[in-house]
Amino acid sequence: LQMKSTPSLQQLITGAQNDREIPTKRNRKKEEEITTSPTSDTVFCDGRRHASLYSLNSTCTESGSFGKADVTGEIEFAIRYVFKACILEICIKGCKNLAYGEDKKKKCNPYVKVYLLPGKSPRSKRKTAVKKNTVDPEFNETLKYKIEYSQLGSRQLQISVWHAGALKYRVFLGEVVIPLAAWDFEDYSMQLFNWYQLKPKLEKSEDDLIQYSGELLVSARLSVPAQHKNFQFEGKKDQGAPNCQLQVMIFGAKNLPLLRPAGMLNSFVKG
Protein backbone atom coordinates (compact mmCIF):
# COMPACT_ATOMS: atom_id res chain seq x y z
CA LEU A 1 0.00 0.00 0.00
CA GLN A 2 1.18 3.49 -0.75
CA MET A 3 1.26 5.57 2.41
CA LYS A 4 -0.36 8.95 2.41
CA SER A 5 2.08 11.54 3.75
CA THR A 6 1.44 12.39 7.35
CA PRO A 7 2.63 15.39 9.34
CA SER A 8 5.84 14.86 11.24
CA LEU A 9 5.92 14.70 15.00
CA GLN A 10 7.89 17.91 14.99
CA GLN A 11 4.83 19.62 13.50
CA LEU A 12 2.34 17.80 15.73
CA ILE A 13 4.12 18.46 19.00
CA THR A 14 4.96 22.12 18.80
CA GLY A 15 6.68 23.77 21.66
CA ALA A 16 7.79 20.57 23.36
CA GLN A 17 11.40 21.63 23.24
CA ASN A 18 10.54 24.95 24.83
CA ASP A 19 8.64 23.27 27.66
CA ARG A 20 11.44 20.86 28.47
CA GLU A 21 14.66 22.67 27.87
CA ILE A 22 17.77 20.52 27.47
CA PRO A 23 20.49 21.82 29.83
CA THR A 24 23.50 23.37 28.16
CA LYS A 25 27.02 23.11 29.52
CA ARG A 26 26.54 26.44 31.24
CA ASN A 27 23.19 25.40 32.77
CA ARG A 28 24.62 22.15 34.07
CA LYS A 29 27.54 23.97 35.68
CA LYS A 30 25.07 26.34 37.31
CA GLU A 31 23.06 23.44 38.75
CA GLU A 32 26.16 21.89 40.29
CA GLU A 33 27.04 25.04 42.20
CA ILE A 34 25.91 25.40 45.78
CA THR A 35 24.05 28.63 46.36
CA THR A 36 23.97 30.67 49.53
CA SER A 37 20.94 30.45 51.76
CA PRO A 38 18.25 33.08 51.13
CA THR A 39 16.89 35.01 54.09
CA SER A 40 13.92 32.65 54.38
CA ASP A 41 16.33 29.88 55.34
CA THR A 42 16.73 31.44 58.79
CA VAL A 43 13.34 29.96 59.69
CA PHE A 44 14.40 26.55 58.43
CA CYS A 45 17.60 26.65 60.46
CA ASP A 46 15.98 27.21 63.85
CA GLY A 47 15.45 30.96 63.55
CA ARG A 48 19.14 31.75 63.47
CA ARG A 49 21.25 32.75 60.52
CA HIS A 50 23.72 30.01 59.70
CA ALA A 51 26.57 30.09 57.27
CA SER A 52 25.82 28.07 54.14
CA LEU A 53 28.40 25.62 52.96
CA TYR A 54 30.19 26.66 49.81
CA SER A 55 30.70 23.00 49.85
CA LEU A 56 33.88 21.44 49.49
CA ASN A 57 32.79 20.05 46.19
CA SER A 58 35.90 17.90 45.90
CA THR A 59 37.68 17.55 42.62
CA CYS A 60 38.67 13.99 43.48
CA THR A 61 37.37 11.19 45.66
CA GLU A 62 38.48 11.15 49.26
CA SER A 63 41.86 9.55 49.70
CA GLY A 64 43.87 8.43 52.71
CA SER A 65 43.69 5.60 55.24
CA PHE A 66 40.40 4.66 56.90
CA GLY A 67 39.39 3.15 60.21
CA LYS A 68 36.19 2.21 62.07
CA ALA A 69 35.01 2.97 65.57
CA ASP A 70 32.21 1.45 67.62
CA VAL A 71 29.24 3.50 66.43
CA THR A 72 27.50 5.54 69.13
CA GLY A 73 25.61 8.79 69.36
CA GLU A 74 23.07 10.75 67.37
CA ILE A 75 22.92 13.42 64.70
CA GLU A 76 20.41 16.28 64.49
CA PHE A 77 19.36 17.62 61.10
CA ALA A 78 16.37 18.81 59.08
CA ILE A 79 15.45 18.37 55.42
CA ARG A 80 13.36 20.53 53.15
CA TYR A 81 12.78 21.10 49.44
CA VAL A 82 12.53 24.62 48.00
CA PHE A 83 10.04 24.11 45.17
CA LYS A 84 10.56 27.49 43.48
CA ALA A 85 14.32 27.09 43.27
CA CYS A 86 14.36 23.26 42.86
CA ILE A 87 16.86 22.94 45.71
CA LEU A 88 17.09 20.18 48.29
CA GLU A 89 18.47 21.49 51.59
CA ILE A 90 19.92 19.48 54.46
CA CYS A 91 20.56 21.58 57.55
CA ILE A 92 23.10 19.83 59.79
CA LYS A 93 22.73 21.14 63.32
CA GLY A 94 25.01 18.90 65.38
CA CYS A 95 25.83 15.55 66.97
CA LYS A 96 26.06 14.20 70.50
CA ASN A 97 27.76 11.29 72.28
CA LEU A 98 29.95 10.39 69.32
CA ALA A 99 32.57 7.67 69.62
CA TYR A 100 36.20 8.75 69.74
CA GLY A 101 37.86 8.58 66.36
CA GLU A 102 41.11 7.67 68.10
CA ASP A 103 40.11 5.92 71.29
CA LYS A 104 43.56 5.63 72.86
CA LYS A 105 44.14 9.37 72.51
CA LYS A 106 40.49 10.19 73.37
CA LYS A 107 40.46 12.33 70.27
CA CYS A 108 37.59 13.22 67.96
CA ASN A 109 37.57 15.78 65.13
CA PRO A 110 34.14 15.16 63.56
CA TYR A 111 32.65 16.35 60.30
CA VAL A 112 29.55 15.32 58.33
CA LYS A 113 29.57 14.02 54.76
CA VAL A 114 26.45 13.72 52.59
CA TYR A 115 25.83 11.82 49.35
CA LEU A 116 22.66 11.86 47.26
CA LEU A 117 22.56 8.16 46.35
CA PRO A 118 22.92 6.37 44.06
CA GLY A 119 25.50 8.94 43.00
CA LYS A 120 28.85 8.48 44.75
CA SER A 121 30.87 10.77 42.51
CA PRO A 122 32.64 13.91 43.79
CA ARG A 123 29.78 15.95 42.27
CA SER A 124 27.34 14.24 44.64
CA LYS A 125 29.39 14.84 47.77
CA ARG A 126 28.81 17.62 50.29
CA LYS A 127 30.54 18.01 53.64
CA THR A 128 30.72 20.32 56.62
CA ALA A 129 33.71 21.89 58.27
CA VAL A 130 35.71 19.83 60.79
CA LYS A 131 35.10 20.51 64.50
CA LYS A 132 38.17 19.96 66.68
CA ASN A 133 38.37 17.89 69.87
CA THR A 134 34.68 17.27 70.60
CA VAL A 135 32.21 14.38 70.68
CA ASP A 136 29.29 16.84 70.78
CA PRO A 137 29.93 19.08 67.75
CA GLU A 138 27.69 21.90 66.56
CA PHE A 139 27.79 22.53 62.82
CA ASN A 140 24.79 24.69 61.87
CA GLU A 141 25.52 24.33 58.17
CA THR A 142 23.15 23.94 55.23
CA LEU A 143 24.16 21.62 52.41
CA LYS A 144 22.35 21.99 49.08
CA TYR A 145 21.58 20.04 45.92
CA LYS A 146 20.08 21.50 42.76
CA ILE A 147 17.68 18.74 41.70
CA GLU A 148 14.23 18.47 40.14
CA TYR A 149 11.44 17.32 42.42
CA SER A 150 10.51 14.46 40.06
CA GLN A 151 13.94 12.89 40.65
CA LEU A 152 13.73 12.73 44.44
CA GLY A 153 11.62 9.56 44.49
CA SER A 154 14.57 7.52 43.19
CA ARG A 155 17.15 9.02 45.58
CA GLN A 156 18.39 8.33 49.10
CA LEU A 157 20.28 10.67 51.40
CA GLN A 158 23.32 9.13 53.03
CA ILE A 159 24.42 11.30 55.96
CA SER A 160 27.58 10.03 57.65
CA VAL A 161 29.85 11.30 60.41
CA TRP A 162 33.64 10.99 60.20
CA HIS A 163 36.69 11.73 62.32
CA ALA A 164 39.47 13.68 60.60
CA GLY A 165 42.85 12.53 61.88
CA ALA A 166 46.38 13.48 60.92
CA LEU A 167 47.82 12.61 57.50
CA LYS A 168 44.39 12.08 55.93
CA TYR A 169 43.45 9.39 58.44
CA ARG A 170 39.63 9.07 58.48
CA VAL A 171 37.45 7.08 60.87
CA PHE A 172 33.80 6.25 60.21
CA LEU A 173 31.62 7.24 63.20
CA GLY A 174 28.15 6.27 61.94
CA GLU A 175 25.52 7.13 59.35
CA VAL A 176 21.82 7.65 58.64
CA VAL A 177 20.21 6.74 55.29
CA ILE A 178 16.94 8.49 54.37
CA PRO A 179 14.85 7.15 51.42
CA LEU A 180 13.38 10.31 49.88
CA ALA A 181 10.53 8.44 48.15
CA ALA A 182 8.72 8.25 51.50
CA TRP A 183 9.49 11.84 52.53
CA ASP A 184 6.57 14.31 52.43
CA PHE A 185 8.22 17.61 51.47
CA GLU A 186 4.90 19.47 51.61
CA ASP A 187 4.35 18.59 55.29
CA TYR A 188 5.78 21.36 57.46
CA SER A 189 6.37 18.98 60.36
CA MET A 190 8.81 17.06 58.17
CA GLN A 191 10.98 20.18 57.95
CA LEU A 192 11.62 20.34 61.70
CA PHE A 193 14.88 19.28 63.33
CA ASN A 194 15.04 15.74 64.66
CA TRP A 195 17.62 13.53 66.33
CA TYR A 196 18.56 10.36 64.44
CA GLN A 197 20.47 7.42 65.89
CA LEU A 198 23.73 6.82 64.06
CA LYS A 199 24.11 3.32 62.67
CA PRO A 200 26.95 1.16 61.29
CA LYS A 201 27.56 1.18 57.55
CA LEU A 202 24.63 -0.07 55.51
CA GLU A 203 25.78 -3.38 54.09
CA LYS A 204 23.77 -3.07 50.91
CA SER A 205 24.97 -3.13 47.37
CA GLU A 206 24.31 0.05 45.46
CA ASP A 207 22.97 -2.19 42.69
CA ASP A 208 19.92 -2.71 44.91
CA LEU A 209 19.12 0.99 44.79
CA ILE A 210 17.03 2.46 42.00
CA GLN A 211 19.54 3.79 39.50
CA TYR A 212 18.78 7.25 38.10
CA SER A 213 20.75 7.96 34.95
CA GLY A 214 18.98 10.97 33.47
CA GLU A 215 15.90 11.51 31.35
CA LEU A 216 15.02 11.09 27.66
CA LEU A 217 12.25 13.12 26.02
CA VAL A 218 10.47 10.92 23.48
CA SER A 219 7.15 11.05 21.66
CA ALA A 220 5.52 8.35 19.51
CA ARG A 221 2.47 7.98 17.27
CA LEU A 222 0.98 5.28 15.08
CA SER A 223 0.35 6.43 11.51
CA VAL A 224 -2.58 4.64 9.85
CA PRO A 225 -3.39 5.08 6.14
CA ALA A 226 -6.44 7.28 5.56
CA GLN A 227 -8.44 4.52 3.88
CA HIS A 228 -8.10 2.33 7.00
CA LYS A 229 -9.00 4.94 9.63
CA ASN A 230 -11.90 2.91 10.99
CA PHE A 231 -10.07 -0.41 10.98
CA GLN A 232 -10.62 -2.41 14.19
CA PHE A 233 -7.41 -3.92 15.57
CA GLU A 234 -8.18 -7.18 17.37
CA GLY A 235 -4.63 -8.33 18.06
CA LYS A 236 -4.82 -11.07 15.39
CA LYS A 237 -2.63 -11.51 12.35
CA ASP A 238 -5.32 -10.52 9.93
CA GLN A 239 -4.22 -10.50 6.31
CA GLY A 240 -6.42 -7.52 5.71
CA ALA A 241 -4.74 -5.38 8.35
CA PRO A 242 -3.33 -2.07 7.06
CA ASN A 243 0.38 -1.46 6.74
CA CYS A 244 0.92 1.12 9.50
CA GLN A 245 3.94 3.14 10.50
CA LEU A 246 5.23 3.79 14.03
CA GLN A 247 6.86 7.19 14.22
CA VAL A 248 9.19 7.97 17.12
CA MET A 249 10.62 11.43 17.70
CA ILE A 250 13.67 11.79 19.98
CA PHE A 251 13.71 15.36 21.27
CA GLY A 252 16.70 15.19 23.60
CA ALA A 253 18.08 14.17 26.97
CA LYS A 254 19.01 15.82 30.24
CA ASN A 255 20.88 15.01 33.47
CA LEU A 256 22.99 12.33 31.82
CA PRO A 257 25.77 11.01 34.08
CA LEU A 258 29.26 12.24 33.30
CA LEU A 259 31.64 9.37 32.71
CA ARG A 260 34.62 11.62 33.39
CA PRO A 261 34.96 14.35 36.06
CA ALA A 262 35.49 16.95 33.35
CA GLY A 263 34.44 17.24 29.74
CA MET A 264 31.24 16.90 27.74
CA LEU A 265 29.49 13.74 26.61
CA ASN A 266 29.35 12.68 22.95
CA SER A 267 25.95 11.04 23.27
CA PHE A 268 23.62 9.41 20.78
CA VAL A 269 20.38 7.43 20.98
CA LYS A 270 19.99 3.85 19.78
CA GLY A 271 16.66 2.08 19.49
Side-chain angles (χ1 to χ4, degrees):
L1 290 173
Q2 186 174 358
M3 298 286 293
K4 186 176 180 180
S5 62
T6 56
S8 68
L9 287 179
Q10 190 70 41
Q11 295 168 329
L12 293 172
I13 311 171
T14 56
Q17 294 99 325
N18 295 332
D19 293 338
R20 302 199 183 188
E21 179 186 357
I22 308 303
T24 61
K25 183 176 181 181
R26 178 180 297 178
N27 288 340
R28 181 160 55 245
K29 183 178 179 184
K30 203 170 183 180
E31 288 183 2
E32 290 168 11
E33 292 173 355
I34 295 185
T35 57
T36 56
S37 299
T39 308
S40 61
D41 288 353
T42 56
V43 178
F44 174 58
C45 290
D46 206 24
R48 291 173 292 168
R49 192 162 200 133
H50 304 300
S52 285
L53 183 70
Y54 289 95
S55 168
L56 318 169
N57 232 353
S58 341
T59 55
C60 60
T61 54
E62 217 155 343
S63 59
S65 56
F66 297 88
K68 284 186 178 180
D70 292 332
V71 175
T72 64
E74 301 172 65
I75 181 171
E76 186 180 18
F77 61 85
I79 302 171
R80 80 161 179 177
Y81 186 76
V82 184
F83 286 88
K84 287 186 178 180
C86 295
I87 292 177
L88 177 68
E89 297 184 342
I90 307 98
C91 191
I92 309 294
K93 194 170 184 182
C95 301
K96 64 182 180 182
N97 303 323
L98 295 177
Y100 286 107
E102 298 174 59
D103 193 48
K104 290 182 179 179
K105 298 180 181 179
K106 300 300 179 187
K107 192 173 183 180
C108 189
N109 302 324
Y111 67 96
V112 175
K113 184 167 61 175
V114 177
Y115 279 107
L116 193 55
L117 300 178
K120 291 285 282 189
S121 69
R123 292 172 59 236
S124 177
K125 182 171 68 176
R126 307 285 186 268
K127 59 183 181 179
T128 68
V130 176
K131 299 299 178 180
K132 297 283 188 178
N133 299 316
T134 177
V135 292
D136 301 301
E138 290 187 7
F139 297 103
N140 294 321
E141 295 190 38
T142 300
L143 314 184
K144 301 183 180 184
Y145 289 93
K146 181 79 173 179
I147 181 172
E148 293 184 13
Y149 182 73
S150 60
Q151 299 175 21
L152 294 177
S154 62
R155 300 301 186 97
Q156 297 190 26
L157 267 180
Q158 181 190 55
I159 302 173
S160 56
V161 185
W162 295 78
H163 160 72
L167 302 175
K168 294 187 177 180
Y169 179 63
R170 301 288 184 264
V171 178
F172 175 77
L173 301 178
E175 72 174 9
V176 176
V177 177
I178 305 288
L180 296 181
W183 200 268
D184 187 356
F185 291 97
E186 296 182 359
D187 184 353
Y188 176 75
S189 65
M190 300 289 280
Q191 301 179 22
L192 302 178
F193 284 93
N194 279 298
W195 285 100
Y196 297 84
Q197 187 73 41
L198 290 169
K199 298 180 179 180
K201 272 190 179 297
L202 183 65
E203 299 298 335
K204 186 174 182 179
S205 168
E206 284 186 30
D207 294 337
D208 294 337
L209 298 175
I210 299 173
Q211 298 291 323
Y212 174 82
S213 300
E215 298 174 38
L216 189 65
L217 180 58
V218 179
S219 186
R221 72 187 290 263
L222 184 67
S223 176
V224 182
Q227 62 268 35
H228 292 284
K229 267 186 179 180
N230 298 322
F231 184 84
Q232 296 295 318
F233 291 92
E234 297 179 355
K236 297 178 182 179
K237 292 184 178 179
D238 191 335
Q239 292 183 352
N243 197 6
C244 303
Q245 185 182 73
L246 178 66
Q247 299 178 343
V248 180
M249 174 69 74
I250 311 294
F251 287 101
K254 62 181 179 180
N255 300 323
L256 296 178
L258 289 176
L259 301 180
R260 298 181 298 274
M264 297 295 291
L265 289 172
N266 297 323
S267 54
F268 65 95
V269 175
K270 185 166 65 172

